[in-house]
Every structure is written in structure tokens, then in C-alpha cells.
């Protein structure tokens, strides 16, 4: 089974986000970037499939700043090969464009199973996995919480719904899955393994044409309208703890 | 006149509340509302749909239990047949399967995470949550379009009754030839704790840092008589069991007290706890979205606050 896992770098949301001069994008110059956390789970699931059923794993990404290092880390995590896709765009505007570019590379690589994270923090115009599925004319399942091989040509997929409900779906390959949670938490990789992977070769492919734009555009980014907001407790930890306990007492939430 | 097609989602034979919120969103656009029910036997669901001018039904054995591939083919077929100006799906597992696929197949733009929607000059004008709820994105997309609405953005109570004549649509040929099969449904373990029934919850988020640090949160929870819960990153990391998850992919809770510790308040989390009676949030990031929804909050470091709270609460 040939598994391709698509990895993306996204803004680190623990950092302060600034809106750029255009008012329609975040300022990307200084913002920290990190592997999209759902892609991290997708990579883990891909490596688990390799370990469990002898799949081969190719980590795939659109070229850009920091991408070599991300792909090398994927090799350290257990991917067999890493490929980046050239696209000639300064910034990929949305996942639909990404899907159009990546679809060509995926066809060229040949893949039985394509995994990627179910979403990123930047998916205002839609999510990658179902866009890829539409471009490649493959079935897709999203919000996936675990994948296991069912022979060479099919997988069992757990799809999660609200309220803790889920279903096991059998999918004949090829297919595209949007991974929410890996069957096991993403593994830790030692520094020495990471250093070793820094010399791993990264192949390059040319992306397909991005196709015609859909006409959807961001007209403005802003901080959310604040509701009434919380009454904030200031002071040191002891003071704040006292205030919280006071509120709990006033509301009759303490004691039997 | 604007024509809006609403994809109706069902779970366990029940039309979801989120689907009725979509009807409220559709009605707010003016024009006509068509609700689409896809099921092996749609009759059981059509009676639960309200507020549509027309209820479109498609009956086929492949349509239930839910299979993403079958519903995507069926919805794409109906969109091609009816040419609605706007197709509404929920931002849910199902909406994730269907929205982008139908948008590509019908060559329409898609706007996701939408919390507010209008039509102006032949385009949908939308507001969406972006960057984990830290920013709001205003966008414009030319009609015809597909829009995925965030649950909780519109109110089921605002749906006005409409006649709702039923019209059936024949299933497309492709439904007999699927590569996806339903194998089994999994429901939560009946013996596991049901946090939706708990009066008080202390929910730890990513900010708790690691599994061991949850001990101090447990200590505080025990002293206030609360059960411990976790946000998605905490569950995904394996620090707490799945049945204790709050949020979109976990449980929707409405306790009397919700103490959120190290939880940023991503939209998916707020969907699961936004209607708790009293929300107290602890997060060192003053801009964390959780503070917009909490009644009380503090930016004191949780690793200082939790021991102080435990001390203050005494022997418990």
C-alpha cells in the first residue's frame, strides 16, 4: 500500500497574530510557523500503517519556507521518502488552490491512500482532503479518528461525529482521508534521529496548474467582536484564587 | 429570487438541531428554501423538517446509514438538477465530507466556518471564524456558491413555519457502485462517565502541558466536587480518555459550573460548552477567545493558580 501524507506549515496560534497592511491577511513576515497539528496526526497514522501492514509512506508538501526541515522531520518520524512540489506562487491562497497543484504530483507519484489533516487554522475557503478527493475523483472520509489496513486494497476508517458517536467505514482504495486523530498520539523523535534525517534527500516535482480562481476573496480580517466578555480577576495567584472561591460560594457551588 | 438548498443531516434517525439552524440561516437570506433529505426511507425524517418551502427527498438503500461517498454523489446530483443559488451544509464531519466535494464538482466557490451570511449584488457576503477563533474573516464569493455554517451561529427557534410540500428526486445511477461500505456504529461506552450529566466540570486544555500536570487540576476538581474533562488536544495526546472530551468531536455539556484551565476556546470547543451557566476561564493569553464567552477570567499562570486554589479550598 502506497501512502502519501500531505504536510503543511501553518501559523503558530500561540503567538500574537498581526493583520497586515492590506487588511486581508495576517502579517506572515515574523509569525512563527509549525506543522499543522492535524497533519502531525496524519503523519503518525501513516507511519502506524507502515509498521502494521508494510505500507510505504511518502511525505508530500508544497514548496516554501521551512518545508525542507519539516519533510526531513517526517523522515525521522518514519516516512520512507519526502517530496516537495514546486508551484511558483509566493503564497498559496487557499486549500482549493493547494489541492489543484498537489493533485498532479499525487498522480505522478501514484498513491493508494492519501492522508492529510482534517483542517488547518486557515481554511476559510474549504479543506484540503475533500478538495483533493474531488480533483482525483476518489472517495473521501473526514474527521477520521483511526485507520487500519483491511488487506492490500482497502482500509477500515473510524469517522467521528458529535456527541462521541462514530462509525467504522470500509473504503476500497484509492481514497483520501482527512485525519483528526491518529490511533496513537504522535510519537516523540530523538534529537539524534532528527539530525540523521537532516541529510535525507528531498525529491522535487512540478505542480499542476492551479486552475481558474473561484472568485472567492477575503475582504477583511479583524479581531472578533468582543461580547460582554469576562470580568477579569487581577492580582497574584492567592488573590485570584480567593476571588474565584468567593464567586463559587456566592453561587452556592461549594459545599454540600 | 434567491433559491437556497439546505442539506439536512440526521443522526440516529433524528434530524440534527444544526440542520434546523441551517434552515434559519436560509430563511434569513429571503427567497425560497429547499431542504434535502437523503435516506433509505426519508419519510421518517421529513416530518422533523420545518421552515422549508419544499422538502426534497431522495430514497435509496445506499443513503443510510450515512456514507460520505453516497451523500456527496447524491448532493452533487441534486445541485446540478435544481441549480440553487446557495447550498448550505453544516461545518460538521458530514459538512466536511460534502461541502468541498460538491463545490469542486459544481464549480462553485465554498465559504467555510461561516457565522453570518448575507447576499449582496450577486455574491454571498460572509463572516467566518479563522485562526482558531482568534480572527474573523469577512469574505465575498460570487453566486452560485456553497457555504458551510458553524453550528450555533443561527437559532433553531427563529425558523418560521412554511408549507413544506414534499417532492421526490430519483437517485443518480452512481449510488449502486460505491467504494465505501458501512461496517458498524460505535456509541459511547454506557459504563464510562457521562460528563454531559455532570453539574460541575473542570476542563483542562493544551495549556496544562503534560499528563502529570493534570494531577493538580484533579485535586482542585475533587475539592469543588467537579469531574475532570479535557479539550481535544488533551484527549488526542492521550492524557485523558475520550469520554471526557468536551467540544465538537466530543461532548456538548451544559453544567452549572465550567472551570476552563489552559483552554484557548477554539470554535470547536465553544460549540461544546458555550451554554454552561457559569464559565470561569484561566489562560495566560489575554486574547484567548475563551474570555469572550466566560463570565469570569484570569490570566494568572495556571501552575500558580491551581495550587493556590487547592490551598484556598482547604482539606476538601
Amino acid at each position: 500500500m502506497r501512502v502519501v501524507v500531505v504536510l503543511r506549515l501553518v501559523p503558530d496560534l500561540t503567538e500574537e497574530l498581526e493583520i497586515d497592511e492590506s487588511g486581508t491577511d495576517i502579517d506572515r513576515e515574523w509569525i512563527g510557523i509549525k506543522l499543522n497539528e492535524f497533519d502531525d496526526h496524519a503523519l503518525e497514522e501513516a507511519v502506524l500503517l507502515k509498521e502494521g501492514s508494510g505500507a510505504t509512506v511518502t511525505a508530500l508538501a508544497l514548496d516554501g519556507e521551512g518545508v525542507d526541515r519539516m519533510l526531513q522531520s517526517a523522515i525521522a518520524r518514519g516516512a520512507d521518502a519526502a517530496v516537495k512540489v514546486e508551484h511558483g506562487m509566493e503564497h498559496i491562497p487557499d486549500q482549493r488552490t493547494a489541492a489543484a497543484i498537489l493533485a498532479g504530483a499525487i498522480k505522478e507519484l501514484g498513491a493508494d491512500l492519501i492522508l492529510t489533516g482534517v483542517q488547518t487554522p486557515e481554511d476559510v475557503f474549504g479543506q484540503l482532503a475533500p478538495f483533493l478527493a474531488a480533483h482525483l475523483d476518489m472517495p473521501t472520509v473526514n474527521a477520521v479518528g483511526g485507520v487500519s489496513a483491511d488487506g492490500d486494497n482497502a482500509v477500515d476508517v473510524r469517522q467521528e461525529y458529535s456527541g462521541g458517536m462514530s462509525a467504522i467505514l470500509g473504503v476500497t482504495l484509492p481514497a483520501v482521508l482527512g485525519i483528526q486523530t491518529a490511533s496513537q498520539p504522535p510519537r516523540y523523535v530523538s534529537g539524534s534521529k532528527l539530525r540523521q534525517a537532516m541529510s535525507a534527500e528531498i525529491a522535487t516535482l512540478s505542480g499542476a496548474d492551479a486552475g481558474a480562481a473561484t472568485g472567492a476573496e477575503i475582504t477583511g480580517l479583524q479581531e472578533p467582536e468582543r461580547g460582554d466578555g469576562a470580568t477579569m480577576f487581577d492580582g497574584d495567584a492567592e488573590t485570584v484564587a480567593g476571588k474565584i472561591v468567593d464567586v463559587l460560594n456566592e453561587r452556592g457551588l461549594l459545599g454540600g | 429570487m434567491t433559491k437556497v438548498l439546505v442539506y439536512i443531516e440526521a443522526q440516529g434517525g433524528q434530524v440534527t438541531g444544526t440542520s434546523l439552524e441551517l434552515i434559519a440561516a436560509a430563511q434569513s437570506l429571503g427567497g425560497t428554501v429547499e431542504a434535502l433529505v437523503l435516506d433509505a426511507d426519508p419519510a421518517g425524517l421529513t416530518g422533523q423538517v420545518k421552515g422549508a418551502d419544499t422538502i426534497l427527498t431522495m430514497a435509496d438503500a445506499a443513503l443510510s446509514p450515512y456514507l460520505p461517498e453516497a451523500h456527496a454523489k447524491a448532493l452533487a446530483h441534486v445541485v446540478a438538477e435544481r441549480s440553487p443559488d446557495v447550498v448550505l451544509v453544516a461545518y460538521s464531519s458530514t459538512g466536511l465530507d460534502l461541502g468541498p466535494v460538491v463545490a469542486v464538482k459544481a464549480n462553485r466557490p465554498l465559504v467555510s466556518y461561516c457565522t453570518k451570511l448575507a447576499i449582496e449584488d450577486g455574491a454571498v457576503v460572509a463572516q467566518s471564524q479563522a485562526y482558531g477563533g482568534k480572527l474573523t474573516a469577512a469574505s465575498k464569493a460570487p453566486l452560485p456558491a456553497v457555504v458551510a455554517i458553524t453550528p450555533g451561529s443561527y437559532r433553531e427557534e427563529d425558523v418560521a413555519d412554511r408549507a413544506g410540500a414534499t417532492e421526490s428526486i430519483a437517485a443518480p445511477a452512481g449510488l449502486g457502485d460505491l467504494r465505501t461500505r458501512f461496517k458498524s456504529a460505535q456509541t459511547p461506552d454506557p459504563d464510562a462517565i457521562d460528563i454531559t450529566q455532570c453539574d460541575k466540570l473542570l476542563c483542562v486544555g493544551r495549556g496544562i502541558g503534560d499528563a502529570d500536570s493534570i494531577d493538580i487540576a484533579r485535586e482542585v476538581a475533587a475539592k469543588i466536587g467537579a469531574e475532570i474533562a479535557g479539550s481535544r488536544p488533551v484527549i488526542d495526546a492521550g492524557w485523558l480518555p475520550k469520554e471526557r472530551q468536551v467540544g465538537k468531536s466530543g461532548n456538548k455539556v451544559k453544567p452549572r459550573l465550567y472551570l476552563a484551565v489552559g483552554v484557548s476556546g477554539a470554535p470547536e470547543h465553544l460549540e461544546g460548552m458555550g451554554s454552561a451557566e457559569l464559565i470561569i476561564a484561566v489562560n495566560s493569553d489575554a486574547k484567548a477567545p475563551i474570555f469572550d464567552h466566560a463570565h469570569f477570567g484570569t490570566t494568572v499562570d495556571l501552575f500558580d493558580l491551581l495550587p493556590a486554589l487547592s490551598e484556598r479550598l482547604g482539606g476538601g
Side-chain angles (χ1 to χ4, degrees), chain B residues 18-77:
Chain B
T18 305
S19 299
L20 298 174
E21 292 172 17
L22 296 185
I23 301 224
Q27 286 189 346
S28 78
L29 298 175
T32 60
V33 178
E34 297 187 331
L36 175 64
V37 177
L38 305 174
D39 199 81
D41 180 14
L45 297 173
T46 51
Q48 301 170 45
V49 176
K50 56 178 184 176
D53 298 291
T54 310
I55 301 175
L56 304 173
T57 61
M58 186 187 289
D60 193 287
L63 293 170
S64 49
Y66 170 76
L67 287 176
E69 187 185 8
H71 279 233
K73 281 187 175 171
L75 179 57
H77 174 74

Side-chain angles (χ1 to χ4, degrees), chain A residues 37-169:
Chain A
E37 65 168 307
F38 297 102
D39 296 357
D40 193 5
H41 280 267
L43 173 60
E44 183 62 34
E45 200 65 28
V47 174
L48 289 171
L49 282 168
K50 172 182 169 177
E51 291 167 348
S53 61
T56 59
V57 177
T58 301
L60 182 69
L62 288 168
D63 199 7
E65 194 184 335
V67 163
D68 285 8
R69 203 179 170 85
M70 171 182 74
L71 288 172
Q72 284 160 343
S73 305
I75 293 208
R77 288 264 298 270
D80 300 293
V83 177
K84 62 181 177 183
V85 178
E86 287 174 338
H87 49 79
M89 296 177 94
E90 195 182 329
H91 173 66
I92 302 291
D94 53 44
Q95 301 298 331
R96 190 163 180 165
T97 310
I101 297 170
L102 285 165
I106 290 171
K107 279 183 194 156
E108 202 171 326
L109 283 171
D112 302 306
L113 182 63
I114 299 140
L115 306 181
T116 193
V118 65
Q119 64 184 62
T120 79
E122 303 189 284
D123 294 348
V124 170
F125 296 131
Q127 293 76 18
L128 181 63
F131 279 143
L132 273 176
H135 278 289
L136 296 165
D137 218 10
M138 295 178 184
T140 181
V141 183
N142 294 275
V144 169
V147 184
S148 57
D150 177 17
D152 284 341
N153 196 34
V155 286
D156 282 347
V157 170
R158 193 162 64 82
Q159 182 170 45
E160 300 191 344
Y161 311 106
S162 61
M165 312 288 283
S166 57
I168 304 293
L169 306 178

Side-chain angles (χ1 to χ4, degrees), chain A residues 13 15-17 26 28 37-38 41 96 118-119 121-127 130-131 134 137 139-143 150 156 158-174 180-181 185 214-224 226 229-233 235 237 240-242 245 248 251 253-254, chain B residues 11 66-69 91 93 96-97 100-101 103-105 107-113 128 130-142 179-188 200 206 224 232 236-238 242 248-250 256-257 268 278 280 287 291-292 294-300 304-305 308-309 312-313:
Chain A
L13 295 187
E15 292 188 15
E16 183 99 356
L17 297 176
I26 56 168
R28 294 177 188 274
E37 65 168 307
F38 297 102
H41 280 267
R96 190 163 180 165
V118 65
Q119 64 184 62
E122 303 189 284
D123 294 348
V124 170
F125 296 131
Q127 293 76 18
F131 279 143
D137 218 10
T140 181
V141 183
N142 294 275
D150 177 17
D156 282 347
R158 193 162 64 82
Q159 182 170 45
E160 300 191 344
Y161 311 106
S162 61
M165 312 288 283
S166 57
I168 304 293
L169 306 178
V171 186
T172 302
L173 302 178
Q180 180 160 293
T181 314
T214 63
E217 55 174 349
I218 305 271
T219 53
L221 274 186
Q222 56 187 43
E223 299 210 347
R226 302 268 147 176
T231 301
M232 298 301 285
F233 294 140
V240 171
V245 170
L248 298 182
R251 309 274 177 125
L253 288 164
L254 288 180
Chain B
Q11 213 177 42
Y66 170 76
L67 287 176
E69 187 185 8
Y91 167 55
S93 302
L96 281 166
D97 288 333
V101 172
V104 170
K105 296 288 180 202
N107 196 23
R108 293 166 171 236
L110 167 72
V111 180
S112 193
Y113 306 99
S128 298
Y131 302 101
K134 284 189 133 185
L135 295 177
T136 303
S139 68
K140 210 165 101 174
R179 311 226 321 259
T180 319
R181 300 159 300 283
F182 175 83
K183 289 203 162 176
S184 63
Q186 297 189 327
T187 50
K200 303 176 205 172
R206 192 195 308 269
I224 56 179
R232 188 194 45 73
D236 285 356
K242 177 82 182 163
K248 183 184 213 55
S249 47
R256 286 173 64 211
L257 169 65
E268 291 81 2
L278 175 66
I280 303 178
K287 286 193 168 177
F291 290 125
D292 294 337
H295 303 92
F296 297 97
T298 181
T299 56
V300 167
D304 296 329
L305 184 70
L309 258 179
R312 187 83 185 195
L313 290 160

